[in-house]
Amino acid sequence: NNLVFDDVSSTPDFTVTGAGVYTIHTLLYDADSTSPNFLDLSIVQFGTTTGVDVVGLVTANNICASLDVAGAPIQVVPCTADAGTIKAEFSHVSLVNGSATLTGFPQGNSNVPTGYYILYVLTSGSNLVIEQVSTTPVFTVNALGNYTIHTLVYNADSTSSDFLDLSVVQFGTTTGVDVVNLINQNGICASLDVAGAPVSVEACLA
């Protein structure tokens, strides 16, 4: 509320690391130190100087400059989505008659905010290639290999700024890391348990 300066930029894009209310302001000023309208911004101390201080400087010295004091307020809220952890019913499963069932047991430590959903994701190999998704942590596979069951907590509301568009996922190509990067690069509140529950599907030796 005191409009304390946190950062300045030639473009209206900023990265913050804490929750709170922020405001993006536009400042038009003369940077020519030989001009009578020169606005000396060297006085600005991040974390101390306020927008009101700058307006006061402009007014007191009759400088031709303009600061949009109202600006564009943005509230940054903490992301409480948490996938928690999941364990496999069996860490080694046999492929019998060409198929094997993999089952995970969520450990009850996930947090699903209002309006969010849980989706279970099955990946294969060390690259965590996405093979299947399900609303329950039970999957059937038809090939030997190493698999992992993951929990994803996400917002499916396409009108929300935290909407995670899963239409980009291509089974057999997209990886769990791709999804994590999509979340992080777009500042989306969502959570994927990357470690998940590993399961090895092996040939039946009986």
Side-chain angles (χ1 to χ4, degrees), residues 112-134:
V112 185
T114 302
Y116 278 61
Y117 297 88
I118 284 183
L119 190 68
Y120 297 98
V121 181
L122 180 71
T123 64
S124 65
S126 58
N127 291 330
L128 305 182
V129 176
I130 297 176
E131 302 291 350
Q132 302 177 39
V133 296
S134 173

Side-chain angles (χ1 to χ4, degrees), residues 4-20:
V4 176
F5 274 60
D6 277 335
D7 200 359
V8 294
S9 174
S10 59
T11 60
D13 303 290
F14 298 91
T15 299
V16 298
T17 57

